[in-house]
Amino acid sequence: MSRFARRFVVSCGAAWPWLLVFAVGAALVLARAAYPQVVTFPDGWLLPLEGPINVAMDWIVENLRGVTRAISGGLGWAFWLAQEMLVHTPWLVTLAAISLISWQGGGLRLTLLIGAILLYILVSGYWTEAMNTLALVLVALPLSVLLGFAAGYLGYRSETARGIIMPTLDLMQTVPAFAYLIPILLLFGFGPVVGLIASVVFAVPPMVRNTILGFQRIPPAIIESACMSGCSRRQQFLWAELPTALPQMLIGVNQTTMAALSMVIIAAIIGGFEDIGWEVLSAMRKAQFGQGLLSGIVIVVLAVMLDRLTAAYAARQLPTTSHAGWPWRRFAVILVAAICGAWLLAWLVPFFADWPEALVFFPANAINAATTDFVMAFGEVMSRIKNAILYFLLLPVKLGFERAVVPFTWGVTFTPLAKTIYWLLAAVACAVAFGLGRWRAGVAAVIVAGFLFLGATGLPWALVVLAVGLLAWQVGGGRLLALAVFSLGFLLLNGIWPPAMLSIYLCFVAVVICILLGGVIGIWAASSDVVSQVIRPINDMLQTLPQFVFLIPALMLFQVGDFTALLAVVAYAIVPMIRYTEHGLRSVPRPLIEAGVSSGCSPWQMFWQIRLPLAQAQILIGINQTILYALGMLVIAALVGTTDLGQAIYIALGKANAGAGLVAGLGMALIAMTADRILQAVIRSGR
Amino acid sequence: MNDQPEAKLSVRDLWKIFGPDPKGVVSGEFPRMTHEQRLAHVRASQHHVAAAGVSFDVPTGHIFVIMGLSGSGKSTVLRSISRLVEPTFGSVTLEGTDLLGASQSELIEIRRHKMGMVFQDFGLLPHLDVIQNVAFPLKAQRRPREERRERARQMIELVGLKGREHAYPHELSGGQKQRVGIARSLAVEPELWFLDEPFSALDPLIRSQMQDEFLRLQTQLNKTIVFVTHDFLEALKLADEICIMKDGEIVQIGTPAEIVLRPANDYVRRFIGDVPLANVLRAEDVMSPAWDDGKPHPTVARQAILDEAIKLFDETTETVDVVDAEGAVIGSLHPLEVIRSLYHDQPETAA
């Protein structure tokens, strides 16, 4: 016992700042009845940035009108050209051209896949819409690639430029796309051009990153050997550096394409016209799930097509590729010939020009009926599942046990006695952990207990600032503390604290589910090659899909609300958790496994004592990614009716209120960055 | 070593200093300081010395090996000569022309026509096949395509890769890759040939084979060579002259025999520890003046390694004569001297 007591004292000594925070927290909670401003940030203290941003935005819009008109004119023209090429030509011409391009890039298998996809789109009846979307991507892509390449090369050559570019990229990728849609909207007005510009902005970062990476990874010997071969600076760039960096940059093109597609679809919210994103959106708004599903599938196959096509061209640049295609000059001749031939054929035979209505297969009504039947048949079960998760998981995290445990949901009342027992248990758990010398576990136990008791929306804001600040300071020092305080201060002063806490609540639940479920799947995949092979293509698929698509099945089965949003977020954010868990467990070095086996570890010991500790760093990276993915998806999920920051952005979008949208978007980005930096500091300190 | 007539490449008092302001460090009083003062001065100004006062000459057709462990500055010296790294102070002259004063465009011309370099990790361009890689320096000179191909083919044949012209680097083994690297470096018929640990990335058998081939090539081509290695045995096997470096400074310069028989200090002596001397020392290195006792002795060439000469001793033979290329006796070997030299006893002091 004396050992226990000694350890307890030592733990108290180590954890005293936390004990202090707990004391302050308890005081705040006890005082909240008398002083409600403890929980609700006083209105009088607000310093909203919304107004100034709007004023600045008005000024910019006023003064940049000439520039924006020129840009949107140019883009409009480019889009018109792409539309002429894809939409207003006979389908046979488009089909022939894209098939030939796939053949050149990836041979027969790719051609068959892409031919099948195009035929499916024809049959689905969404040909025009799909081609409009493709035309948008076709215009956005070269712009993103060029801009990304230029910025990336600049970042490679100049240390200073890299210092500016990297944080900008972080910001561009963490600020939700919806948020910067608003200023673009104000600058360029409604219509396809806005979507174009937004997708260029959104799609540039992967290109920049991969360009920098590609150039940085050139082996020094290659640059030196080019020098010693007597290359001039220009020759060195064109003949040695560029070709060596090219494979990595083409991976960037692939990612950029997928980002552009994703954004082009989301942009339908502001620039809706006859494109596939608009189809999905309007179907969802009208609750026509059949239509939504069918057009969603078209998005999926479009994504698969673009992914495979660009990936094939990326692989083709490696000398390892087996498929070489035709020499480029011959390819150009064949392409032109095929296009002319197809055109002639379409001119002679109308079937090849316009796909006949009779051959369209559009079972939307059947799907709607089936969905209705399904919901009728299983509605009872599904609503029970939904309610169970809502009452026992979502509400406690959102409102805390003290408000969620009521007879209507739990069937019991959270009596003062129960509350006392609850806190006693938490205190005992903490004390035991302290006595065992694990003060971090003890502190975590109290934090979790407090969080669940008060709920995300019931936490005194000062307590959150104190606890997050202390955590940031302990893992990352002064700079991290400054970031944490700045982020939370930003949320408080701008009056977006309540929706931000709602975002955190939804994100928290989603991340916990992802960690548990994804962790289990990852462990399973790491121990079984069969599972791994089944999971991998599914993961690939989930990662290439535009985020939008995740909403459709969730919405079909469970109407609007937090639960539906949760499902969509989990489906999207679980992928990195699975991936990193499996990778971490699988990449434990062979000698260590053998050392474990020869020491006589049972499989159970092997897992807990060797694999898991060694995989810990990778798993933490997976958790980090999952959090970022979940926050990113949260904004999209606002479309199915949440009440969080995402919704605030979405509402601002509807009102074209740039200030409100940007403030909410920045708030989201700051939450993401703070979470990311704190976790990364934890990962670093664990090494 | 200074009696050699014309030096093709001459390096004088070469310094390479890293830090915030290297040029500032070597300005002012620096040229007038002694070596020790300079070292102290550089350290006092928080700079790091990669090469300190390196001087040597390489005569035409010689293989000059710079040997040192990692961090000794050997690669820095090589890169300073080829100006892949800009030296901070000193001079490098190639047949009297100042290399360090050359402008960028002059430097490109010099590299195009006078220098070739082989790298430890090959530096082959992954997107070009063997023949394109070898022809690359000629392409940089904008020579006509046919000429490039022809010349590249000759080089590929020279290094024994005929038949692999259209393979890509990732399809080649390490040894083959380095053959491509060698062929490329020779494509422009350089006068100066730099090799930066060319065989270090290869496994031991291939390495030894490549070393033999390197020597064969050199008897054919007679280039002026600066060869960098961390492998003392490789240095002994290949060098006409060895320069041992430590912490950016030269510890000793000499022929392999001079180094082995008269190491400058304990640092050098430690390298010699496990060297099979019988394979390094040559008959002429350990011979004493000719011993004429009227009897006929077996003879051995002056270039022969001791391992061969020892086989000539038997129960009745106590003297072996060393002869030059014309067959004239220039000295004799005695068992006791041979044994002493093999056990690191220095002949002069041991007597």
Side-chain angles (χ1 to χ4, degrees), chain A residues 224-225 227 230 235 243 319-320, chain B residues 79 111-112 119 123 126-127 140 170:
Chain A
E224 288 189 331
S225 71
C227 259
Q235 289 174 333
T320 40
Chain B
R79 282 174 168 63
R111 284 173 177 163
R112 281 182 179 175
F119 299 87
H127 61 291
H170 71 97

Side-chain angles (χ1 to χ4, degrees), chain A residues 219-235 238-241 243-244 317 319-321, chain B residues 79 82 84 108 111-112 115-117 119 121-127 136-137 139-142 168 170 184 194:
Chain A
I222 282 188
I223 293 176
E224 288 189 331
S225 71
C227 259
M228 289 307 291
S229 298
C231 282
S232 65
R233 191 72 202 80
R234 211 173 64 90
Q235 289 174 333
L238 283 178
W239 296 347
E241 294 177 351
T244 313
Q317 292 305 315
T320 40
T321 179
Chain B
R79 282 174 168 63
S82 57
L84 286 172
I108 287 176
R111 284 173 177 163
R112 281 182 179 175
M115 290 178 180
M117 185 155 170
F119 299 87
D121 23 12
F122 322 123
L124 302 183
L125 293 164
H127 61 291
F136 187 76
K139 189 179 170 194
Q141 294 180 24
R142 305 205 174 283
Y168 282 91
H170 71 97
R184 178 179 61 186
F194 300 127

Side-chain angles (χ1 to χ4, degrees), chain A residues 292 562 685:
Chain A
D562 282 6
S685 66

